[in-house]
Amino acid sequence: MTLLTVKNLSKTFDTGRGPIHAVRDVSLSAGEGECLAIVGESGSGKTTFANMLLGLLAATSGEIIFDGKPLQPRRSARDRQAIQLVQQNPLSSLNPKRTIGASVRLVLDTHRIGDRANRWKTVERALEAVGIPGDMRTRAPSSLSGGQRQRVGIARALACHPRLLVLDEPTSALDVLVQARILRLLNQLREDRGLAYIFITHDLAVVRNIADRVAVFQSGKLVELGTTEQIFSYPQDGYTRSLIGAVPVVDENELALRNKLAVTP
Amino acid sequence: MTPLLAINSLTLAFKNLFQHTPVLHGISLSIAKGEKVALVGESGSGKSVTARIILGLLQETATAEIGGEVWFEGRDINAMRKAERAALRGTDMSMIFQDPTSSLNPTYTIRSQFVEVLRRRTADLSRGDCDERMISLLEEVRIPDPLRVLEAYPFQLSGGMNQRVMIAMALANRPKLLLADEPGTALDVSVQAQTLSLMHHLVDNHQTAVLFISHNLGVMREFADRVYVIYRGRIVEYGSTGSLFAGPLHPYTQALMAAVPRITGSGLPDLPEISDTFLAPPVSHGGTL
């Protein structure tokens, strides 16, 4: 079942020095429970695209259809609840003056989820679901490690039971051992809850191991879209090949694959 | 042959009225002339502070307690006077930082910052000589229009351009040792790959020794001759890049290596974030520390 369909979506910013076409005529879709990766360099329009999905930016033209209905420029509370965001840097996305529990609770209060008396219990369960002990809810973000903070970011996004999670570089600020655990957690949550992910990243090695399909953005345009298998076996676009060619690799098998894919057929 | 840089049982602790926080627990490493050495570790492992000690910057910090020796060309940096350490920076050793845009001063043009660097070595360098040097150095880092770049402010240039300007400045006075702290991490992968291959080429040409600090194992593999792996202020494994990547021996290095996602799609292994085995004694792949 298709959960999200994007039709001819564009975003143009008018600046003093003329218009900037951040996203140009992008059409794609994501199924229920699917992980669609969006890759591209900085300035390729990945984050602008995500902001339009989240309703934080109005599209210049085009349409976003979610769960069979076109999303309106002013989102209903229900639509806002259904699409949630996990940001790159959990230290700056969590309010430093709130306890982590209060940050998660704010989502429940905003969306009026469950009755008030039980909300702290719900907060604790939400934290436990991402591997943070419930009694840590009174801690401040500053007393947590980077990986724990990102877990809180995920718990907060999941607290209002979204169906689609937009993950904007969720692991690029983390160490590799921590990244491995967070990626496993994301995989498991997706499986357990039937979530769909829009996974924005520039790290193709992460994409290879987590995504079902990959969309490659270059200067606001969608230049290639395919299953992860296809992209990493027969990349069609020259830009996709150059991105794969730039990935730093650690073992011989990877090196062989990179050398094979990076050359123009 | 004596190495260019030899660190012996370097320790570091930060202290305040209430706490004494050890950061480095006696690390030793050496870099030969013209050698490219990598120091790999996670955040908080002590890699950046090591670079700052070599540069003689941390010695100026009152809360830092430093022990051990840092021999650079037969002189101990820890035992030097402040002015002697300052004289080394920007001449015999220089540094490239992670984020080029924030390490250049946004209120000065590239030209005025570059002139300052050149005059550290030769104080009475004339304007004309400066221009000539700067243009040839910028051409060396393949900047297409050096005259325009010299008049520009850092915020008018892209991240990749700024990084090349930083490399040109860092190599301007033909340093013997270049410290590179996560260069390219703030850049896009393709720009990062270009920048690194450029740096590789230049340091080989100039016979500059490099201490390359990074958390990215893939980048290290392509750049370094030898690798030291640091974990919580201790060197846990060291050896030639080839043998360390072919067969990591220390439990921490093994976990680190397994955790790197592969483009071959080998899945996401179940690894602990921390483990007691990571504190096992150091392993060597032969050679001296």
Side-chain angles (χ1 to χ4, degrees):
Chain A
M1 256 288 278
T2 310
L3 181 67
L4 174 83
T5 309
V6 174
K7 282 187 184 162
N8 309 100
L9 198 68
S10 295
K11 177 71 191 177
T12 306
F13 293 103
D14 286 313
T15 66
R17 283 184 289 171
I20 291 171
H21 303 283
V23 173
R24 311 177 196 214
D25 200 26
V26 170
S27 300
L28 52 78
S29 64
E32 249 169 292
E34 187 184 28
C35 178
L36 173 69
I38 296 186
V39 300
E41 294 179 287
S42 33
S44 61
K46 311 186 292 286
T47 299
T48 305
F49 181 75
N51 284 341
M52 289 192 282
L53 293 184
L54 290 158
L56 298 173
L57 269 180
T60 310
S61 62
E63 213 179 3
I64 304 169
I65 298 160
F66 185 75
D67 203 14
K69 289 185 294 285
L71 290 176
Q72 302 307 316
R74 277 188 66 99
R75 296 271 166 100
S76 67
R78 207 174 140 264
D79 288 339
R80 273 186 279 127
Q81 188 180 332
I83 307 178
Q84 288 291 318
L85 170 71
V86 176
Q87 280 157 303
Q88 174 173 7
N89 186 347
L91 188 58
S92 59
S93 62
L94 291 170
N95 186 336
K97 292 192 172 177
R98 265 177 208 279
T99 63
I100 58 169
S103 278
V104 175
R105 180 168 172 145
L106 188 60
V107 178
L108 302 177
D109 290 343
T110 307
H111 292 286
R112 300 198 185 87
I113 292 168
D115 59 86
R116 290 175 70 92
N118 289 327
R119 278 196 193 141
W120 284 123
K121 269 261 146 312
T122 316
V123 166
E124 285 177 13
R125 275 205 304 275
L127 289 172
E128 276 156 13
V130 297
I132 304 271
D135 55 13
M136 274 176 75
R137 72 171 166 84
T138 54
R139 301 268 292 266
S142 58
S143 71
L144 268 55
S145 69
Q148 286 173 326
R149 282 181 206 136
Q150 195 54 291
R151 284 169 192 266
V152 175
I154 295 167
R156 179 173 62 171
L158 294 179
C160 60
H161 312 294
R163 301 179 61 194
L164 175 71
L165 213 54
V166 176
L167 301 131
D168 194 353
E169 304 265 8
T171 60
S172 47
L174 305 174
D175 286 320
V176 307
L177 281 167
V178 182
Q179 166 175 282
R181 295 209 68 79
I182 296 286
L183 292 175
R184 282 178 67 87
L185 171 72
L186 287 171
N187 261 347
Q188 179 220 322
L189 289 168
R190 181 160 74 100
E191 214 165 280
D192 294 351
R193 303 181 183 209
L195 288 162
Y197 288 167
I198 299 287
F199 197 104
I200 298 174
T201 181
H202 64 270
D203 190 335
L204 283 151
V206 168
V207 168
R208 178 69 177 96
N209 291 288
I210 195 162
D212 300 316
R213 284 193 306 142
V214 184
V216 183
F217 277 42
Q218 183 190 18
S219 332
K221 286 198 289 269
L222 177 65
V223 293
E224 185 160 2
L225 177 67
T227 64
T228 308
E229 210 51 54
Q230 283 166 355
I231 298 275
F232 286 91
S233 319
Y234 315 102
Q236 299 299 311
D237 191 79
Y239 180 67
T240 311
R241 281 197 295 272
S242 76
L243 279 182
I244 295 175
V247 177
V249 298
V250 296
D251 65 35
E252 295 300 323
N253 297 337
E254 272 195 294
L255 186 66
L257 178 70
R258 189 182 75 177
N259 290 344
K260 188 181 125 223
L261 298 184
V263 288
T264 319
Chain B
M1 202 182 82
T2 53
L4 177 71
L5 179 84
I7 299 181
N8 289 327
S9 345
L10 181 68
T11 58
L12 167 71
F14 287 108
K15 57 168 197 282
N16 62 19
L17 276 176
F18 314 103
Q19 271 178 321
H20 184 267
T21 316
V23 178
L24 297 176
H25 303 265
I27 68 166
S28 300
L29 68 84
S30 70
I31 303 175
K33 239 181 150 172
E35 193 183 25
K36 297 187 290 293
V37 170
L39 185 59
V40 198
E42 298 182 289
S43 44
S45 59
K47 22 182 226 309
S48 291
V49 287
T50 305
R52 272 156 217 275
I53 290 174
I54 298 169
L55 270 179
L57 290 172
L58 221 51
Q59 284 84 342
E60 319 293 341
T61 309
T63 53
E65 214 165 63
I66 299 169
E69 299 156 342
V70 182
W71 294 96
F72 180 70
E73 293 202 292
R75 295 198 292 160
D76 184 2
I77 293 177
N78 280 347
M80 279 183 195
R81 282 182 294 116
K82 192 176 168 179
E84 290 176 303
R85 282 197 289 259
L88 282 178
R89 290 196 287 272
T91 57
D92 283 342
M93 53 170 86
S94 58
M95 182 144 180
I96 300 174
F97 293 92
Q98 176 172 0
D99 183 359
T101 309
S102 65
S103 49
L104 289 164
N105 189 328
T107 62
Y108 291 96
T109 58
I110 300 294
R111 175 194 293 277
S112 64
Q113 299 183 57
F114 211 145
V115 168
E116 195 185 332
V117 171
L118 290 175
R119 289 194 175 144
R120 274 194 77 79
R121 178 77 96 183
T122 327
D124 54 355
L125 206 62
S126 75
R127 223 197 130 112
D129 289 345
C130 276
D131 276 6
E132 208 174 293
R133 289 286 315 278
M134 289 188 294
I135 289 167
S136 82
L137 286 160
L138 289 177
E139 275 168 352
E140 212 177 26
V141 294
R142 294 183 209 137
I143 283 182
D145 188 358
L147 281 171
R148 183 186 70 88
V149 169
L150 280 179
E151 301 316 320
Y153 289 90
F155 58 82
Q156 295 171 315
L157 303 173
S158 68
M161 282 286 235
N162 278 325
Q163 189 64 283
R164 287 188 211 188
V165 170
M166 284 298 295
I167 294 173
M169 285 184 183
L171 295 175
N173 289 326
R174 298 281 180 268
K176 296 182 179 107
L177 177 66
L178 176 69
L179 298 151
D181 192 355
E182 306 260 8
T185 308
L187 305 173
D188 278 321
V189 271
S190 50
V191 184
Q192 180 183 17
Q194 285 163 15
T195 319
L196 290 175
S197 84
L198 178 72
M199 208 169 98
H200 201 148
H201 173 76
L202 287 177
V203 296
D204 277 352
N205 270 0
H206 295 177
Q207 282 288 297
T208 313
V210 184
L211 180 64
F212 194 120
I213 291 168
S214 181
H215 67 277
N216 190 323
L217 288 162
V219 168
M220 298 283 125
R221 184 181 181 278
E222 278 164 44
F223 191 86
D225 305 323
R226 277 193 310 131
V227 179
Y228 289 86
V229 182
I230 184 170
Y231 177 67
R232 293 212 199 163
R234 294 174 178 86
I235 301 286
V236 295
E237 182 161 358
Y238 60 95
S240 74
T241 308
S243 88
L244 193 130
F245 276 85
L249 298 170
H250 194 276
Y252 175 68
T253 320
Q254 287 167 348
L256 209 56
M257 213 72 97
V260 179
R262 309 290 209 268
I263 55 168
T264 43
S266 50
L268 302 162
D270 186 10
L271 297 159
E273 267 173 48
I274 43 170
S275 156
D276 286 343
T277 61
F278 293 174
L279 293 169
V283 193
S284 151
H285 289 254
T288 52
L289 261 168

